[in-house]
Amino acid sequence: MSAPVFRRPAAAGPPQPREESVEKVTGAARYAYEYPQQEAAYAWIVTSPIAKGRVLTVDADHVLRSDDVIAVLRHDNAPRLEDVGDPALAVLQDPAVAYRGQVVALVVAKTPEAAREAAATLPVEYEELGHDVVLTPDHESLYQPDAVNPDYPADTEQGDPDGAFEASPVRVDHTYRTVALHNNPMEPHATTALWHDDGSLTLYDSNQGGHVVRQTIAGLFGLAPDRVRVMNPHVGGGFGSKGTPRPNVVLAAMAAQVTGRPVKIAVTRQQMFSLVGYRTPTIQRVRLGAEADGRLNSITHEVVEQTSTVKEFAEQTAVATRSMYAAPHRRTSHRLARLDVPVPSWMRAPGECPGFFAFESALDELAAELGMDPIDLRVRNEPETDPESGKPFSSRNLVACLRQGAERFGWEPRPRAPRTRRDGRWLIGTGVASSYYPTYEAPATATVSADENGHHTVAINATDIGTGARTALHQLAAEALDVPWADVTVRIGDSDLPQAGLAGGSMGTRSWGWAVTKACRALREQGGGSVTANTAEDIKALGEYSRAAYGAQFVEVRVNQDTGELRVPRMTGVFAAGRIVNSRTARSQFIGGMTMGLSMALHEEGVMDAAFGDYANHDLASYHVAACADVGTMDIAWIEEDDEHLGGTGTKGIGEIGIVGTAAAVANAVYDATGVRVRDLPIHLEDLLA
Amino acid sequence: MKPFAYAVAGAPADAVRRISGSPGARFLGGGTNLVDLMRLGVESPDLLVDVTRLDLDRIEPVDGGGVRIGAGVRNSDLAADPRLRVAYPMLSQALLSGASGQLRNLATVGGNLLQRTRCPYFQDVTKPCNKRSPGSGCPARTGVHRDLAILGASEHCIATHPSDFAVALAAIGARVHVTGPAGDRTLKVTELYRSPGEDPSRDTVLDPADLITAVELPPSGPAHRTSLYRKARDRASYAFAVGSVAAGLGLTPDGEVGEVRIALGAVAHKPWRARLAEAALTGRPATVEEFRRAAGIELAAAEPLPDNAFKVTLSQNLIVAALLELAGGEAR
């Protein structure tokens, strides 16, 4: 398919700064912990130092002697919660300890300092049981989940993948491993909770979707949803870890209920490594069988990953593999080990991100076996229709991304022997990988009203977690209304506003923008007043197409021959993600995704301490996230698509695709530079030390 | 947090007097290490004596050609000193490779030398650690130890000293001026630090009431002027060394090693002056083969663990690469 250029409308498309940027950099923008409250109390979480067992006693009196300590919540005195089907939120409901770092008590005090000191000195006795925290490929607890996130089948099989593999003249069969990765948004999870005299509850909470928090908290506390209001006008990042409520919001509401005061709670950076979710480690075996011309016969991608004993989270690691390249014989599978570990959850592109490290590395290994250019290999296996479902693609510009990226990057066609380019003591290599992210959407409702002066107010409970969503909605509204920027105000981040889904799955701006533009167009037709629009029916009416964003990433690495140190001087990413609403914030999203992918490739690693059962490097001094100095030149481009099958605003979503494939591109470049194939992330300098 | 008192000392003697006899008191310099440890609960002092206003912020020449650096000089200012950049390049390079710009603006010379050794178990009060809690055990040997010591460690502790600056000072042969309840004294930087041995709770030979007032550099010789600091790390900035070397090389007119100075970082409980390698090289031709041989001699004593065995190769490579570069060989 050719790449049509989207006709830029008046209001959307051009670079537009975030409208709240001055508020943010001057500190005027308030975050969840920062709303002043009369008589506020401060809660501090006490976590378990054992990985399995149960709490025997909590000696609250020991800390209640302090005049500053107001209450100590434990499993035997905390308010009872209703069952909402999320055991990770059933905090302080029973004495069982299922992982190290689990909440075992909550101290509430008049000052954060007093709460912290009391939490540090609170005597808690445990009965400790043996724990099992190490993921192995043949762990005895391995099982097939009913579905993988969010609702894909765990296993798929077409044809005879084993037979076709064995019969293929060129084969690769390797196992790749990724480590636990921890979401570290700048703003830790935090909540300010406030009960009112009428029994209603207000929560200032750092999350990726206020409606989910409202529904969940209302359920847990036995309230009607309209008795709970959740405010999140500014959120300092989430990466998925704030996609659903985490213990902090439940604990804040409990503590406020028990003490009768507004309560503030902030999860510490160290606590984030056990309490807010993380990306599961994976062990992935990939087998590819091909003809001598590169045509794939067989694709097999089998995944082992972990979940907790508290709650199942099944990452969809091999799902993206199903839709990527043509091959008649295919199998994917997911197996989970239930371990005594913190509850894994979403982290930017759950599934696609770790899955594509393995899959796109294996393709590079196959290209080397074939003596073929890795771009040509991917082009050779470009499918006519979605290989999994058989559905037509709404649009698919992977090949265009690869071609345009190759030209921008200056890709030198292969084959060539690895370890052939150097500059002094530095070996130089280049690598490429594809990116993919499915296009999701959720129903949303938006209201737009015009006042007598011609000013328009758009209201929707969207969440801007730092992406620029508020600004994008403002652009889309001004465009749909065909009015100047200044004649529109966008209100988001309040659960009293019309209902909308998560800032997650790269579907925020797509889903919210759809409702906003629908309401705005209707208002324009109506000639004023107020219009509320919902997109549920529009979404149901979407045609049967395979919808996804695609991309290609190119990386140059330099590896020092003396130290094994790895540097990445430049990267190119070209994406095809439908219409791009705001080129400025879109570029930031792609850069952010690729930087996080680079960080995954080189730095990020939750180191499981088998003896104690925790991630030992639970702070930002020892859990390395890429620093500015690690990021070289980032060349970002996109192919604007005019895809009539996307509906709504014609966007596909850009929040996650940037991280998908990056790590494979880095590892592929490392192979080109050094001849060393690293199949376990992150790539350590000792892996490359001669 | 535990409440603590804070006092500002006006002179070194005042600082020593305020802290003497108070086992729970600590000197506070830039606070870039102590305050972190307080947040982690590893340190819980009841008195902090601020020693940043003691008029110890000068860099001045001393009789005989050396340089005296006040203990209160900030790392950024010291790294920027143009005289030292020429006379002791390894010193400036070591300072600039440490921490971040913001931390270097705060960190002091004295505080840098006295930062605690690093180990994930030392920093986590929910786990045993012989250094933090004597006799509780050392889980690192069988646990997480990829970044820990390969030289001079003991069964009780394999923590590593984190300072880049101290590694350069060890290679330079700097001396430390100390004042304390028993008066003034001077000791070599290499004598300042202890091996963990049976008592890893102490990182240095100083008593809590001993205050570092200055660091003194010897007159700059050929192996000071032709020197470099090379740090291998897991990220390009703001990371502790995985391995590092401070090296200086003075050649004789016929290309032999006249004087050589080598110290390694991130391999031991202290900056590791590579005396064996230095001795093996002195008087020998400045060739890559000789550099390799000497590096091998120094690292022969290494006792690595499974996850840090690579540090032997890394340290050897760092020595060879540094000396080769100083000898005019292939650039890094």
Side-chain angles (χ1 to χ4, degrees):
Chain A
M1 179 181 285
S2 65
V5 175
F6 186 77
R7 294 170 299 284
R8 284 210 168 96
Q16 186 73 39
R18 285 172 178 78
E19 60 184 78
E20 70 283 358
S21 52
V22 172
E23 277 177 87
K24 282 184 173 172
V25 298
T26 57
R30 279 204 177 126
Y31 292 83
Y33 198 82
E34 299 174 336
Y35 287 85
Q37 302 296 331
Q38 296 286 333
E39 293 286 299
Y42 299 85
W44 205 275
I45 297 170
V46 180
T47 60
S48 164
I50 67 166
K52 190 177 185 183
R54 66 190 182 102
V55 175
L56 296 177
T57 61
V58 178
D59 183 6
D61 292 341
H62 182 80
V63 296
L64 285 168
R65 278 178 289 200
S66 162
D67 290 342
D68 289 332
V69 178
I70 302 168
V72 176
L73 273 60
R74 314 170 301 244
H75 68 85
D76 55 357
N77 71 351
R80 294 300 96 184
L81 299 169
E82 303 289 330
D83 181 4
V84 295
D86 185 345
L89 296 180
V91 285
L92 302 180
Q93 300 298 292
D94 70 67
V97 172
Y99 59 90
R100 201 177 204 266
Q102 183 179 321
V103 179
V104 294
L106 187 75
V107 175
V108 192
K110 292 177 187 169
T111 66
E113 292 81 7
R116 180 182 193 162
E117 176 65 12
T121 54
L122 181 70
V124 183
E125 283 183 30
Y126 300 88
E127 177 191 12
E128 187 170 2
L129 301 172
H131 60 251
D132 180 2
V133 293
V134 178
L135 180 67
T136 55
D138 51 0
H139 196 276
E140 61 179 11
S141 74
L142 286 181
Y143 71 98
Q144 177 188 357
D146 292 340
V148 293
N149 179 57
D151 54 6
Y152 294 106
D155 292 11
T156 58
E157 185 159 326
Q158 290 162 305
D160 174 17
D162 294 333
F165 176 77
E166 293 301 331
S168 294
V170 184
R171 289 171 287 185
V172 294
D173 176 359
H174 295 294
T175 298
Y176 304 83
R177 291 168 190 256
T178 60
V179 288
L181 300 173
H182 298 270
N183 309 54
N184 270 294
M186 283 175 71
E187 183 200 16
H189 294 60
T191 310
T192 298
L194 177 64
W195 289 89
H196 304 282
D197 292 342
D198 64 357
S200 66
L201 173 65
T202 297
L203 297 164
Y204 300 93
D205 182 59
S206 184
N207 64 64
Q208 293 174 228
H211 273 293
V212 181
V213 176
R214 161 187 266 187
Q215 289 295 127
T216 309
I217 294 297
L220 286 166
F221 287 85
L223 301 170
D226 66 1
R227 308 301 288 162
V228 180
R229 187 176 183 189
V230 179
M231 313 275 277
N232 60 350
H234 299 293
V235 177
F239 307 115
S241 69
K242 296 172 183 170
T244 56
R246 297 296 141 99
N248 52 291
V249 62
V250 184
L251 292 167
M254 272 185 175
Q257 190 173 44
V258 167
T259 63
R261 292 178 180 232
V263 167
K264 295 186 172 196
I265 186 168
V267 178
T268 67
R269 185 62 66 181
Q270 288 87 351
Q271 289 168 347
M272 286 183 68
F273 285 78
S274 61
L275 283 181
V276 304
Y278 60 98
R279 194 194 299 285
T280 173
T282 68
I283 302 167
Q284 306 179 50
R285 183 180 181 192
V286 180
R287 278 174 284 174
L288 302 174
E291 297 298 322
D293 67 356
R295 213 168 296 273
L296 285 164
N297 291 325
S298 177
I299 296 173
T300 305
H301 190 171
E302 294 158 311
V303 181
V304 169
E305 55 201 26
Q306 75 188 32
T307 189
S308 68
T309 62
V310 176
K311 177 186 178 181
E312 178 185 281
F313 178 77
E315 180 133 340
Q316 71 274 35
T317 306
V319 166
T321 298
R322 297 171 184 168
S323 295
M324 201 57 194
Y325 301 111
H329 305 280
R330 345 168 33 91
R331 177 194 300 127
T332 61
S333 70
H334 298 80
R335 295 293 178 270
L336 301 183
R338 272 195 200 282
L339 303 177
D340 304 314
V341 294
V343 185
S345 185
W346 299 331
M347 184 170 178
R348 204 172 197 167
E352 294 84 6
C353 174
F356 261 39
F357 164 66
F359 187 46
E360 290 287 316
S361 292
L363 273 167
D364 202 67
E365 301 209 50
L366 180 64
E369 284 290 318
L370 288 160
M372 191 172 178
D373 184 83
I375 295 174
D376 290 345
L377 174 62
R378 287 168 173 84
V379 173
R380 174 85 27 103
N381 290 289
E382 178 70 3
E384 295 282 320
T385 56
D386 188 302
E388 170 80 6
S389 65
K391 290 178 189 174
F393 296 108
S394 69
S395 58
R396 176 173 160 124
N397 278 303
L398 173 63
V399 172
C401 290
L402 287 162
R403 296 280 190 230
Q404 198 181 115
E407 190 176 326
R408 295 181 73 95
F409 184 78
W411 179 258
E412 294 173 35
R414 309 274 167 88
R416 73 167 179 222
R419 207 180 174 91
T420 52
R421 291 199 302 155
R422 68 185 68 213
D423 172 15
R425 298 294 294 163
W426 294 86
L427 299 169
I428 301 171
T430 56
V432 62
S434 300
S435 302
Y436 165 90
Y437 195 81
T439 300
Y440 296 116
E441 55 282 318
T445 305
T447 298
V448 58
S449 315
D451 67 15
E452 60 273 23
N453 302 318
H455 190 83
H456 298 76
T457 298
V458 173
I460 180 168
N461 188 23
T463 309
D464 190 333
I465 61 171
T467 58
R470 179 188 276 109
T471 306
L473 295 180
H474 194 150
Q475 288 175 284
L476 290 167
E479 174 193 86
L481 292 164
D482 196 22
V483 298
W485 177 266
D487 288 351
V488 178
T489 298
V490 174
R491 294 183 56 210
I492 63 171
D494 178 348
S495 64
D496 278 359
L497 300 174
Q499 182 165 344
L502 284 182
S506 296
M507 64 180 166
T509 297
R510 170 169 166 75
S511 304
W512 310 322
W514 195 334
V516 167
T517 50
K518 186 179 180 184
C520 289
R521 284 180 191 138
L523 185 96
R524 225 176 127 192
E525 278 174 25
Q526 171 178 307
S530 179
V531 172
T532 295
N534 174 275
T535 55
E537 293 305 316
D538 306 271
I539 288 169
K540 279 186 200 154
L542 278 170
E544 288 290 309
Y545 288 93
S546 173
R547 282 177 285 268
Y550 296 86
Q553 301 198 29
F554 296 77
V555 171
E556 178 179 314
V557 303
R558 295 165 67 90
V559 178
N560 188 278
Q561 287 180 266
D562 299 314
T563 63
E565 285 173 293
L566 178 51
R567 300 285 179 258
V568 179
R570 64 192 184 103
M571 303 171 75
T572 289
V574 179
F575 301 94
R579 178 187 173 191
I580 299 300
V581 176
N582 182 346
S583 58
R584 184 186 186 116
T585 50
R587 190 179 134 78
S588 289
Q589 284 279 65
F590 291 131
I591 289 175
M594 289 168 66
T595 300
M596 208 162 161
L598 175 70
S599 194
M600 171 193 187
L602 304 187
H603 308 301
E604 296 189 42
E605 178 176 22
V607 178
M608 174 49 74
D609 187 336
F612 295 93
D614 66 336
Y615 289 102
N617 53 338
H618 45 250
D619 61 39
L620 290 177
S622 49
Y623 181 91
H624 284 176
V625 175
C628 286
D630 293 296
V631 182
T633 303
M634 284 272 191
D635 171 43
I636 306 291
W638 52 81
I639 292 160
E640 294 238 10
E641 295 174 317
D642 191 359
D643 180 341
E644 61 184 309
H645 306 300
L646 291 174
T649 55
T651 58
K652 284 179 173 174
I654 56 176
E656 282 156 293
I657 190 169
I659 197 176
V660 181
T662 318
V666 173
N668 295 343
V670 165
Y671 173 75
D672 183 46
T674 64
V676 177
R677 175 62 64 175
V678 181
R679 301 189 182 94
D680 298 355
L681 289 186
I683 304 170
H684 296 106
L685 60 83
E686 56 263 41
D687 298 329
L688 307 175
L689 199 56
Chain B
M1 56 180 273
K2 181 182 148 191
F4 60 88
Y6 169 81
V8 179
D14 179 35
V16 170
R17 184 181 54 75
R18 284 175 182 272
I19 205 171
S20 294
S22 304
R26 294 282 184 277
F27 293 126
L28 177 70
T32 60
N33 183 230
L34 178 58
V35 175
D36 277 357
L37 293 174
M38 289 168 66
R39 290 199 177 109
L40 292 168
V42 174
E43 289 275 5
S44 49
D46 47 35
L47 169 65
L48 291 183
V49 177
D50 188 329
V51 293
T52 59
R53 297 174 217 183
L54 303 182
D55 199 24
L56 297 174
D57 57 357
R58 284 189 295 280
I59 306 166
E60 53 202 359
V62 294
D63 294 345
V67 178
R68 184 184 167 103
I69 302 162
V73 174
R74 306 285 172 170
N75 281 189
S76 296
D77 296 332
L78 183 59
D81 188 288
R83 298 161 295 180
L84 300 187
R85 292 175 85 122
V86 173
Y88 313 90
M90 64 173 115
L91 187 77
S92 312
Q93 291 170 16
L95 284 163
L96 288 174
S97 73
S100 66
Q102 294 93 330
L103 289 168
R104 293 194 294 271
N105 287 343
L106 271 175
T108 62
V109 161
N112 188 313
L113 294 181
L114 294 183
Q115 59 188 307
R116 300 302 308 269
T117 56
R118 275 188 72 84
C119 171
Y121 298 95
F122 175 63
Q123 291 173 261
D124 187 341
V125 296
T126 67
K127 296 176 182 176
C129 167
N130 285 327
K131 180 181 288 290
R132 193 187 62 245
S133 180
S136 61
C138 174
R141 300 189 74 92
T142 53
V144 179
H145 59 246
R146 183 249 183 190
D147 295 330
L148 301 180
I150 57 170
L151 287 164
S154 75
E155 63 180 296
H156 306 290
C157 182
I158 54 171
T160 46
H161 199 266
S163 171
D164 297 297
F165 175 54
V167 178
L169 290 180
I172 287 169
R175 300 171 77 83
V176 178
H177 293 272
V178 176
T179 187
D184 297 348
R185 62 193 160 124
T186 302
L187 64 168
K188 294 176 184 167
V189 164
T190 45
E191 297 166 349
L192 173 65
Y193 296 103
R194 296 178 68 253
S195 288
E198 299 279 322
D199 177 17
S201 68
R202 295 172 61 210
D203 297 349
T204 71
V205 299
L206 300 189
D207 289 325
D210 283 337
L211 177 73
I212 294 178
T213 54
V215 168
E216 187 174 327
L217 309 182
S220 175
H224 292 122
R225 286 189 292 277
T226 304
S227 72
L228 61 78
Y229 185 75
R230 178 70 188 283
K231 176 175 179 176
R233 48 185 144 178
D234 287 326
R235 116 180 124 176
S237 168
Y238 197 20
F240 293 101
V242 179
S244 74
V245 63
L249 186 63
L251 297 181
T252 61
D254 48 2
E256 289 182 348
V257 175
E259 187 190 8
V260 61
R261 297 173 169 275
I262 305 168
L264 297 171
V267 292
H269 198 255
K270 54 184 179 181
W272 188 265
R273 180 78 182 258
R275 303 259 184 215
L276 297 175
E278 291 176 1
L281 273 175
T282 305
R284 305 288 299 178
T287 63
V288 67
E289 293 76 20
E290 288 292 329
F291 297 155
R292 273 203 199 102
R293 187 182 63 85
I297 288 170
E298 187 66 45
L299 272 302
E303 292 184 288
L305 294 162
D307 294 339
N308 67 7
F310 74 93
K311 281 191 174 186
V312 175
T313 305
L314 177 64
S315 300
Q316 289 174 333
N317 286 2
L318 281 166
I319 291 172
V320 174
L323 294 176
L324 202 54
E325 184 174 339
L326 294 172
E330 198 170 7
R332 55 176 106 170

